[in-house]
Amino acid sequence: MSTALPTTPDYDAWPIEAHLEAVSFSPRLVTVRWSDGRESRYHSVWLRENAADDSTVNPATRERILDLSVLSAWPEVSAAEIDEAGALCITFNPEDRHLRFHPGWLRAHDYDNANDPEAPLVPVTTWLGGSDAGPDTLDAGGLLDTQPASEAEEAVLAPALESVLGKGLVRLRNLPTEPDSIASLARRIGPVRPTNFGQLFDVKAKPDPDSNAYTSIALPPHVDLPTREYHPGLQMLYCLENSVEGGEAVMMDGFAIAEALRDRHPEAWETLTRVRWCYANTARTTDYVWFEPMIRLDARGELLEVRIADFLRGPLQTAFEDVEPAYEALMTLQRLLRDPAFAIRFTYHPGDVVIFDNRRLLHARDAFEGSTGHRWLQGCYMERDEVRSRYRMVQRARRRRRLTAEAP
């Protein structure tokens, strides 16, 4: 018997929360008892597909290569035991193949006792604004000088990611003010999503603008690019210069507003989760159009996204009987958007960056007087997946450090 634990079918690290104590089986089911009294059941076909040997996964990539349909019969268990290393050992028919399973991985992927395998990585909490409210704020001085994937980077990046995942928003301060520093910051999370505005875009008043953002006028609460099939999941706005009068930033939790709409105006809620509005880009060189409800729920009925941007709505094209109810619901929502209880307001200072969920958070801006100074923000977009992936890598690093600390 091997005295070393087997590899896992992934690159992650899995601490052993409880040890395997007993195992029993039938041809299509394995039942194990753990040292903390928990009992877990695993189907034989699930175990066979999730083995870590080189007949199941490519050892170079840890991606699956097994095609279950090429087996001559349904994979069944002919023997099961716990070896001296603490691994679960199973012999599968019809292959007569002996495979070992890491107990930490097995416990972490116990679907029989899982509460919700799709639960958010960080609990999602909605929030209100008000005169004393502000975004979660972290001192990020020196962040871009840290080694990528180091504990020093993690000390700032991990709580920032947690704020974005949980509240949809974080503000970092004391970052460099050199142009394109935003690209260095973005790379700490993942790849940038290019759009018709480029990979990086400059938010400043300019002649012949192709967006209201590139003027000095006030901007109402909105998400960016709702005209896309998947509007960007994450946005960064990085302040390089700000000496103008006015131009105060406004942020609102679109999920909190949606929940208020559901509680106070259920008919408007029903309409705005059902009627598909037209969102249209009216630039001279691009023509993006998409139809979607203003409030979208996922398959489990949880809030998924909001698409609120009055200046990017095209003509409503829906059933005749829905037109007036849709506009009534819209105006009910617009009145909520003017309620200062939902808004936090702040002024950008050079070296500040806000990172926010663009499919949840609404952002706005007061008008500013361009002749009083200069206001220069740089922005970029990413996807929600990048935040989740980077945070999972943080969790993986923490598990790996824990394993190292626990090693004899």
Side-chain angles (χ1 to χ4, degrees):
M1 281 191 176
S2 173
T3 58
L5 285 171
T7 59
T8 63
D10 56 27
Y11 286 105
D12 213 330
W14 299 106
I16 297 174
E17 305 290 349
H19 296 276
L20 290 167
E21 279 197 341
V23 58
S24 60
F25 69 94
S26 63
R28 293 199 175 191
L29 186 69
V30 174
T31 302
V32 301
R33 189 178 70 248
W34 301 91
S35 58
D36 61 358
R38 178 160 152 179
E39 188 173 88
S40 303
R41 299 171 300 171
Y42 304 95
H43 293 85
S44 60
V45 66
W46 184 91
L47 288 165
R48 180 63 190 90
E49 185 180 54
N50 287 288
D53 72 308
D54 59 9
S55 76
T56 310
V57 296
N58 181 333
T61 64
R62 306 280 176 98
E63 293 179 349
R64 185 177 294 113
I65 57 175
L66 173 67
D67 180 345
L68 289 168
S69 70
V70 305
L71 301 180
S72 60
W74 190 273
E76 294 188 340
V77 178
S78 61
E81 62 179 351
I82 302 166
D83 68 15
E84 63 186 55
L88 177 65
C89 302
I90 297 179
T91 302
F92 289 92
N93 285 333
E95 303 168 275
D96 192 29
R97 188 180 297 277
H98 185 70
L99 299 174
R100 302 172 71 230
F101 295 84
H102 189 290
W105 183 92
L106 203 62
R107 171 78 172 222
H109 295 85
D110 173 8
Y111 57 85
D112 190 33
N113 288 294
N115 293 323
D116 182 0
E118 296 183 77
L121 294 171
V122 171
V124 174
T125 55
T126 54
W127 48 267
L128 298 177
S131 58
D132 297 327
D136 287 357
T137 301
L138 300 170
D139 185 346
L143 173 62
L144 297 185
D145 296 323
T146 62
Q147 186 71 21
S150 65
E151 288 188 60
E153 179 198 65
E154 181 186 310
V156 176
L157 194 60
L161 296 174
E162 288 167 358
S163 290
V164 174
L165 290 166
K167 297 182 179 179
L169 171 67
V170 72
R171 175 172 59 183
L172 304 182
R173 313 205 86 158
N174 301 317
L175 287 158
T177 54
E178 288 80 19
D180 299 346
S181 293
I182 189 173
S184 300
L185 177 60
R187 283 194 293 269
R188 299 295 178 126
I189 300 175
V192 170
R193 169 177 164 174
T195 71
N196 51 301
F197 296 111
Q199 280 208 314
L200 306 181
F201 51 90
D202 293 304
V203 183
K204 59 169 69 172
K206 61 182 182 180
D208 200 25
D210 57 355
S211 168
N212 285 353
Y214 302 154
T215 70
S216 61
I217 66 173
L219 298 178
H222 66 284
V223 300
D224 276 13
L225 303 185
T227 56
R228 301 300 188 92
E229 180 177 0
Y230 299 105
H231 55 307
L234 191 76
Q235 183 169 176
M236 293 186 185
L237 289 174
Y238 195 124
C239 181
L240 298 176
E241 193 174 358
N242 189 17
S243 56
V244 298
E245 293 181 5
E248 195 170 35
V250 181
M251 291 279 180
M252 311 172 79
D253 186 350
F255 284 5
I257 293 167
E259 288 177 349
L261 188 74
R262 177 171 52 192
D263 294 342
R264 304 176 197 175
H265 310 282
E267 290 185 4
W269 160 271
E270 188 280 330
T271 299
L272 294 182
T273 57
R274 177 178 56 82
V275 172
R276 296 165 65 88
W277 293 80
C278 173
Y279 297 92
N281 179 281
T282 56
R284 298 182 184 91
T285 57
T286 55
D287 195 351
Y288 296 100
V289 177
W290 192 252
F291 294 83
E292 205 71 70
M294 284 191 187
I295 301 170
R296 273 190 67 200
L297 307 178
D298 64 19
R300 301 183 299 165
E302 300 293 334
L303 283 163
L304 176 65
E305 66 181 33
V306 295
R307 292 193 188 228
I308 298 169
D310 279 350
F311 55 91
L312 290 174
R313 274 191 296 105
L316 176 61
Q317 299 172 63
T318 190
F320 181 88
E321 61 273 15
D322 279 335
V323 171
E324 288 193 350
Y327 277 107
E328 288 177 356
L330 169 66
M331 287 185 275
T332 299
L333 173 64
Q334 288 170 329
R335 284 189 285 270
L336 283 179
L337 295 176
R338 293 197 298 272
D339 186 341
F342 291 110
I344 58 175
R345 309 179 69 88
F346 57 91
T347 298
Y348 281 107
H349 298 284
D352 287 358
V353 61
V354 292
I355 308 173
F356 59 96
D357 185 334
N358 182 61
R359 293 169 66 188
R360 170 182 172 179
L361 266 285
L362 307 177
H363 61 292
R365 180 189 74 202
D366 291 344
F368 61 90
E369 178 51 63
S371 63
T372 61
H374 301 281
R375 187 181 192 272
W376 181 15
L377 306 182
Q378 280 195 311
C380 69
Y381 301 112
M382 305 178 78
E383 299 297 358
R384 282 174 166 175
D385 287 341
E386 308 305 341
V387 183
R388 291 191 285 256
S389 172
R390 188 67 189 86
Y391 190 66
R392 289 191 188 99
M393 292 301 292
V394 167
Q395 293 177 308
R396 183 188 299 187
R398 289 171 173 172
R399 286 192 289 267
R400 200 173 300 282
R401 290 198 299 270
R402 176 180 161 188
L403 281 176
T404 300
E406 292 174 352

